[in-house]
Amino acid sequence: MPAEPTPTGAHALSTTGGAGSAPQRLAQAALRDLPWEVGIAKPDPAIVVDGVVRTFGGLTAVSVDHLEIQRGGITGLIGPNGAGKTTLFNLLTGFDQPDGGTWSFDGRPLGKLAPHQVARLGVVRTFQLTKALSRLTVLQNMLLGAQGQKGESFLRALVPGTWRAQEKANTEKAMELLRRFKLDAKKDDFAGTLSGGQRKLLEMARALMSDPQVVMLDEPMAGVNPALTQSLLGHVKDLREQGMTVVFVEHDMDVVRDISDWVVVMAAGKVIAEGPPESISQNQAVVDAYLGAHHDAALTIEEEDRVLAEAEESISREEHPDDLRRPGRPDEKGTDR
Amino acid sequence: MAELIDALAVALKAGLGFQAAFFALLAIGLNIQFGYTGLLNFGQIAFAMLGGYGIAISVSQWGLPFWVGVVIGIAAAVVLALLLGIPTLRLRADYLAIATIAAAEGLRLTFRSVSATPITAGTRGLSGFSDPFVELAPWDTAQRYSILGTRWSGADLWVTFVGWVLVALACLLVWLLVRSPWGRVVKSIREDEDAVRALGKNVYVYKMQALVLGGVLGALGGMVYALGTASATPDQYQNANTFLAYAALILGGAARVLGPVIGAMILYFIIQFADTGLRTLISNGIIPENVLSATDVAQIRFVLIGLGLILLLIFRPQGIFGDRREVMLDAR
């Protein structure tokens, strides 16, 4: 796959119709009238997941029946810790193999592909724990991202003439991206000397060196200070402007609301809800599984009274074993706490 | 004093001799594998043994021409690298380490076993295979030559010369490789395989290439050693040599083109100087016989080297050529 000077993601735009004019509206508009149902078919899916199951021993980490991801949009993937978001990422990008199921990108099945093959198709990812290549300089990190490099073959590497021109073009492209991400002053520093936030930026910029069509970001904002979060958000939105499909995992609901066109909520390995960001906070399943459990707002007095009353009720039920709902009791106890 | 200067001359000769070239080649191979790619090959000596025996068996047992022996030795090293790499390179780094250390010891024991005696001549080893090589020398190998106050036989000089030419070529190869995009990929693999996979590179193939290349350089080193000693016995190829080569690599500075070469020279110089120097001091009575006897020297010199390495790692962990900033990144 030869490196092209223009982002290959750009042609994805034309398939969705608009030639450059506010493409983010296109994805949003296309998704506006969809019902907020789990597994709903999208007008123009880039990634389709079908029946993907991954178990670790007795634990079902991921069990997704059907999921489509709209092309050219930003899809937020949220869920409590252990919901299987990162495992799903690993499965989609070939870093992990599922027990069963199929998934495809642009109609091409991705099952049984190794991670590098998935990446060559144009699906690149970043990692939750940033993987900056410490003992390489920032610029070398960037150059590694370029695809189809002639000099990466063993024999051609020995003849610099075969790859020098390509290397020069890649360096220019890398410097342009570094300027965009405001890392150009650091180009000759070891990546290991960058701060956490700068590493996140570098990883995203490096992923863009491969001219991806789908960018999968695993917690891009984790551990990043608020000022840098804003600039990262800007960069993610830019990806959409350029016609790339973005999937990202995030815990910060403000971020998710701000940039997603569509939100997919996972809990205990399943997709429990999907819809536009404003629909999510109204969804009872989500509130139960995620927002409710992790809501850090203080309880109001009424809520506290209600919770207390429920607790007392369950205790009194426990003390009266002739209660009708006896078989369900242990479960209920669990959820009440 | 004159004896110490003699010891210095002997050590200098050793630091430039074919043994140093042998260690340099082993260490350059390890540098590609460990220094650049992050592969832990703990059985480099097995590749050297296949190289040495490749010539020895081909020439003295099968009566094949010398060059065929060279090709067989290299081919055997490639096969061993593939055999070790295919099952382990998809796994974590430690599995390769286990497989290589076991292979090195296993191969040595196989070569010296009774059942292999018809081919390898067992513990007695093979000799008489170096004549076709010595005949290639452009000068009279029967004469003795004096260089920088050290005396060499013509044959020794020829082996040593070829050894260092091979070292120079290997350095050129490494230099070309590590400044190319290929080198960038393998260095990235050393840092984080998964990041490299996520960027569309076939990590497995690169690791295999590095393992094979390092193994072939090890085999060349083994050939130099076998030709230099004019014999091939299994116990020449003790796995301790692998770790001496690692010591040379770390002393010179890993992931530096000239690091393993200078490291090997200095290491061999120190080994020889400690040996001759201590013996001189004992025979002069400067070190009393009841403190240290001449028979202990062979062991004591390694204690001294160990001590030196510990001090090196404390005060100069990057080695002679390394970049301290680079090494210290891991300590953050």
Side-chain angles (χ1 to χ4, degrees), chain A residues 131-152:
Chain A
K131 292 190 187 297
L133 307 164
S134 304
R135 283 184 287 172
L136 268 65
T137 66
V138 169
L139 183 60
Q140 284 178 318
N141 263 271
M142 292 295 289
L143 289 173
L144 182 75
Q147 295 298 299
Q149 295 190 49
K150 295 194 185 82
E152 287 182 355

Side-chain angles (χ1 to χ4, degrees), chain A residues 124-127 130-145 174-175 177-184 186-210 215 217 220 224 228 231-232 235, chain B residues 195 199:
Chain A
V124 296
R125 68 170 298 184
T126 66
F127 294 85
T130 327
K131 292 190 187 297
L133 307 164
S134 304
R135 283 184 287 172
L136 268 65
T137 66
V138 169
L139 183 60
Q140 284 178 318
N141 263 271
M142 292 295 289
L143 289 173
L144 182 75
M175 284 311 294
L177 274 167
L178 284 177
R179 271 192 288 278
R180 226 170 85 195
F181 282 80
K182 297 200 172 53
L183 286 171
D184 49 333
K186 299 252 176 202
K187 73 179 173 76
D188 294 322
D189 290 6
F190 284 124
T193 64
L194 298 182
S195 72
Q198 285 169 330
R199 288 180 200 208
K200 292 262 179 199
L201 285 171
L202 175 60
E203 201 181 14
M204 200 187 289
R206 191 175 65 197
L208 296 185
M209 274 300 284
S210 63
V215 183
L217 307 168
V224 175
L228 202 50
S231 102
L232 267 167
H235 290 305
Chain B
L199 293 169

Side-chain angles (χ1 to χ4, degrees), chain B residues 143-160:
Chain B
Q143 257 189 303
R144 293 189 75 80
Y145 297 86
S146 179
I147 294 170
L148 293 170
T150 55
R151 295 194 59 75
W152 306 68
S153 80
D156 264 0
L157 204 58
W158 174 234
V159 163
T160 308

Side-chain angles (χ1 to χ4, degrees), chain B residues 120-152:
Chain B
T120 63
T123 48
R124 209 158 33 84
L126 294 164
S127 57
F129 52 84
S130 58
D131 299 340
F133 171 77
V134 172
E135 280 162 18
L136 293 172
W139 51 73
D140 183 5
T141 50
Q143 257 189 303
R144 293 189 75 80
Y145 297 86
S146 179
I147 294 170
L148 293 170
T150 55
R151 295 194 59 75
W152 306 68

Side-chain angles (χ1 to χ4, degrees), chain A residues 48-288:
Chain A
V48 180
V49 180
D50 252 315
V52 167
V53 179
R54 177 72 171 108
T55 56
F56 297 108
L59 175 80
T60 305
V62 165
S63 167
V64 174
D65 292 335
H66 189 79
L67 178 65
E68 296 187 2
I69 288 167
Q70 172 71 12
R71 190 191 313 280
I74 299 182
T75 303
L77 185 57
I78 63 171
N81 290 324
K85 308 180 294 288
T86 298
T87 311
L88 182 62
F89 259 45
N90 287 344
L91 293 172
L92 292 182
T93 50
F95 278 85
D96 194 3
Q97 291 298 322
D99 304 316
T102 58
W103 63 105
S104 62
F105 163 63
D106 267 352
R108 222 186 310 218
L110 294 184
K112 304 271 178 258
L113 288 192
H116 67 271
Q117 293 169 315
V118 176
R120 282 178 194 172
L121 289 177
V123 182
V124 296
R125 68 170 298 184
T126 66
F127 294 85
Q128 187 173 359
L129 300 171
T130 327
K131 292 190 187 297
L133 307 164
S134 304
R135 283 184 287 172
L136 268 65
T137 66
V138 169
L139 183 60
Q140 284 178 318
N141 263 271
M142 292 295 289
L143 289 173
L144 182 75
Q147 295 298 299
Q149 295 190 49
K150 295 194 185 82
E152 287 182 355
S153 107
F154 181 83
L155 290 177
R156 268 184 298 203
L158 297 172
V159 191
T162 57
W163 47 264
R164 210 164 256 155
Q166 197 189 25
E167 183 85 347
K168 198 159 162 270
N170 284 339
T171 309
E172 276 166 24
K173 185 172 152 195
M175 284 311 294
E176 200 184 303
L177 274 167
L178 284 177
R179 271 192 288 278
R180 226 170 85 195
F181 282 80
K182 297 200 172 53
L183 286 171
D184 49 333
K186 299 252 176 202
K187 73 179 173 76
D188 294 322
D189 290 6
F190 284 124
T193 64
L194 298 182
S195 72
Q198 285 169 330
R199 288 180 200 208
K200 292 262 179 199
L201 285 171
L202 175 60
E203 201 181 14
M204 200 187 289
R206 191 175 65 197
L208 296 185
M209 274 300 284
S210 63
D211 297 324
Q213 299 179 42
V214 177
V215 183
M216 306 187 69
L217 307 168
D218 198 347
E219 299 203 18
M221 320 291 172
V224 175
N225 76 48
L228 202 50
T229 303
Q230 283 311 311
S231 102
L232 267 167
L233 280 180
H235 290 305
V236 175
K237 285 180 186 166
D238 277 351
L239 304 185
R240 177 174 57 185
E241 307 287 324
Q242 290 164 24
M244 292 176 214
T245 307
V246 180
V247 187
F248 75 105
V249 169
E250 189 50 62
H251 281 297
D252 185 339
M253 283 309 291
D254 289 335
V255 169
V256 173
R257 257 193 293 270
D258 184 6
I259 63 170
S260 331
D261 300 317
W262 194 260
V263 176
V264 175
V265 189
M266 289 183 72
K270 291 186 162 46
V271 176
I272 57 165
E274 54 176 305
E278 57 274 15
S279 76
I280 293 305
S281 50
Q282 302 161 23
N283 186 309
Q284 195 53 44
V286 179
V287 174
D288 284 352

Side-chain angles (χ1 to χ4, degrees), chain B residues 7-236:
Chain B
L8 210 62
V10 170
L12 191 71
K13 189 184 168 188
L16 297 172
F18 70 87
Q19 295 97 332
F22 160 67
F23 275 116
L25 283 167
L26 292 194
I28 293 171
L30 290 177
N31 196 25
I32 294 168
Q33 294 167 343
F34 169 73
Y36 290 108
T37 319
L39 300 175
L40 278 176
N41 173 5
F42 280 162
Q44 178 73 330
I45 198 66
F47 295 96
M49 187 165 85
L50 289 183
Y53 269 95
I55 295 180
I57 295 176
S58 306
V59 175
S60 60
Q61 298 287 83
W62 298 339
L64 295 169
F66 170 73
W67 289 109
V68 176
V70 172
V71 171
I72 287 176
I74 291 175
V78 171
V79 170
L80 178 66
L82 293 175
L83 284 178
L84 289 171
I86 286 168
T88 59
L89 287 184
R90 288 187 203 279
L91 307 171
R92 265 198 342 254
D94 18 1
Y95 290 93
L96 178 67
I98 298 166
T100 45
I101 201 168
E105 204 53 14
L107 267 180
R108 183 177 68 85
L109 293 175
T110 310
F111 272 53
R112 79 199 295 280
S113 68
V114 177
S115 53
T117 304
I119 303 171
T120 63
T123 48
R124 209 158 33 84
L126 294 164
S127 57
F129 52 84
S130 58
D131 299 340
F133 171 77
V134 172
E135 280 162 18
L136 293 172
W139 51 73
D140 183 5
T141 50
Q143 257 189 303
R144 293 189 75 80
Y145 297 86
S146 179
I147 294 170
L148 293 170
T150 55
R151 295 194 59 75
W152 306 68
S153 80
D156 264 0
L157 204 58
W158 174 234
V159 163
T160 308
F161 173 75
V162 170
W164 288 112
V165 166
L166 285 175
V167 168
L169 290 176
C171 285
L172 180 69
L173 181 73
V174 172
W175 180 74
L176 279 172
L177 280 175
V178 297
R179 55 197 283 282
S180 74
W182 186 89
R184 188 164 58 223
V185 176
V186 296
K187 280 185 258 183
S188 307
I189 290 171
R190 174 190 70 196
E191 299 300 312
D192 196 314
E193 281 181 31
D194 279 345
V196 182
R197 283 200 186 94
L199 293 169
K201 323 286 175 197
N202 192 346
V203 168
Y204 185 67
V205 167
Y206 285 99
K207 283 162 97 176
M208 192 62 90
Q209 287 173 344
L211 186 66
V212 170
L213 179 60
V216 167
L217 290 176
L220 291 176
M223 291 176 189
V224 170
Y225 195 69
L227 293 170
T229 55
S231 74
T233 60
D235 293 340
Q236 280 176 332

